[in-house]
Amino acid sequence: MSPADWFTFALIIFSATLGGILRRLSGFGGAMVMSPMLMGFFPLVSLIPLINGIELVGGFWLAKNWRVDPADRARLYRILAVAAISLPIGILIGMQFSSYFLKIVASCVVLLFSLYLLLKPHIKLLVTPIKDSIAGSGAGLLLGSCGFGGPVVALYLNASALEFKRARSLLSQVASGLALFAIITASFFGTSFTWVFWLLVGVPAFFLGIYIASRIDSYHLISESKIRLISIYFLMGSAIFNIAVGVFL
């Protein structure tokens, strides 16, 4: 492999490991870490299936431990159905811009999302089918243009009255469902499947991150509130780094 390929190899391992740690701790955020880091190294229609392929495989493993509450199943299907409709529109929008512009936009979204969670504004929403649909639509548009759609649904569920573990399970299942739709939809827009090779590199690294986070969680050394705080700072640091890289390089 060329030096550029080795750099890409190392970057995928690094970003996927960080993504696995965050996904295991909070139920989301894997793609939010990986996508901005890898933008500029892959075209959008290859980046989306690569990132979401890693997320999907990791989500299958987590699904056996995090079951969606029966009362939330209709909400899960509703969010995913609407997201599947808006996803191709998001891809078409994203393809109109350069990868470095999208990198900065995606990182800004992550940073604003993190700041929102950190400041904890007292906004409470009653979850309804209409609001589920709005969240799903926004998630699909963001996923298609930036490679991740979790922030929209995460903000929605964070403002709800659902308890942390219940919301985390629902959010994790939404992330896995979005990943599956993203892979299928992006494949219709792209003609190259070289991302499959890099997928084989990223999946083991993602599982390494999940394992590291699982060991942390198994010792019960960190409370749920601290897990939230660590995840937020994790995302903020990643976003600031990627914005700096996008601006100066």
Side-chain angles (χ1 to χ4, degrees):
M1 293 191 295
S2 67
D5 289 334
W6 280 112
F7 178 79
T8 304
F9 183 87
L11 186 61
I12 288 178
I13 291 178
F14 178 70
S15 62
T17 301
L18 293 181
I21 291 173
L22 188 59
R23 176 69 185 273
R24 175 60 181 82
L25 289 177
S26 63
F28 70 98
M32 293 170 65
V33 171
M34 294 184 286
S35 183
M37 283 189 180
L38 297 176
M39 276 184 176
F41 296 93
F42 299 91
L44 183 63
V45 291
S46 295
L47 177 73
I48 290 176
L50 170 60
I51 297 299
N52 288 279
I54 296 173
E55 277 268 29
L56 182 62
V57 176
F60 279 139
W61 186 88
L62 291 172
K64 67 180 181 181
N65 299 315
W66 294 347
R67 300 291 183 183
V68 174
D69 190 285
D72 293 326
R73 287 176 184 167
R75 177 160 296 108
L76 170 65
Y77 301 143
R78 190 179 302 116
I79 291 173
L80 290 177
V82 178
I85 296 173
S86 61
L87 176 59
I89 301 175
I91 294 177
L92 289 173
I93 293 173
M95 291 175 66
Q96 308 306 311
F97 300 95
S98 70
S99 59
Y100 284 99
F101 175 78
L102 292 176
K103 183 185 189 76
I104 295 175
V105 170
S107 299
C108 287
V109 169
V110 174
L111 182 59
L112 291 174
F113 167 75
S114 304
L115 287 172
Y116 177 90
L117 294 181
L118 184 64
L119 295 175
K120 297 180 180 179
H122 296 287
I123 299 175
K124 288 299 178 183
L125 296 175
L126 179 65
V127 290
T128 65
I130 293 178
K131 292 171 186 172
D132 293 343
S133 300
I134 294 173
S137 177
L141 290 172
L142 186 62
L143 175 60
S145 57
C146 294
F148 56 85
V152 179
V153 182
L155 288 177
Y156 173 53
L157 296 180
N158 183 72
S160 73
L162 297 178
E163 64 164 344
F164 174 71
K165 290 184 177 179
R166 180 176 167 184
R168 182 172 67 172
S169 297
L170 176 58
L171 186 55
S172 182
Q173 295 294 329
V174 168
S176 295
L178 289 174
L180 177 60
F181 290 142
I183 295 169
I184 296 172
T185 305
S187 296
F188 284 104
F189 287 87
T191 57
S192 173
F193 290 90
T194 55
W195 59 268
V196 176
F197 168 77
W198 297 110
L199 178 66
L200 299 177
V201 175
V203 167
F206 195 79
F207 275 113
L208 174 61
I210 289 177
Y211 174 77
I212 293 172
S214 297
R215 296 297 296 175
I216 295 173
D217 197 32
S218 65
Y219 290 115
H220 303 289
L221 299 176
I222 304 176
S223 64
E224 291 182 356
S225 61
K226 287 185 177 179
I227 288 176
R228 285 174 180 254
L229 194 60
I230 290 171
S231 300
I232 291 171
Y233 282 124
F234 201 74
L235 287 173
M236 288 179 64
S238 173
I240 292 172
F241 172 79
N242 286 305
I243 290 172
V245 171
V247 170
F248 292 109
L249 297 182

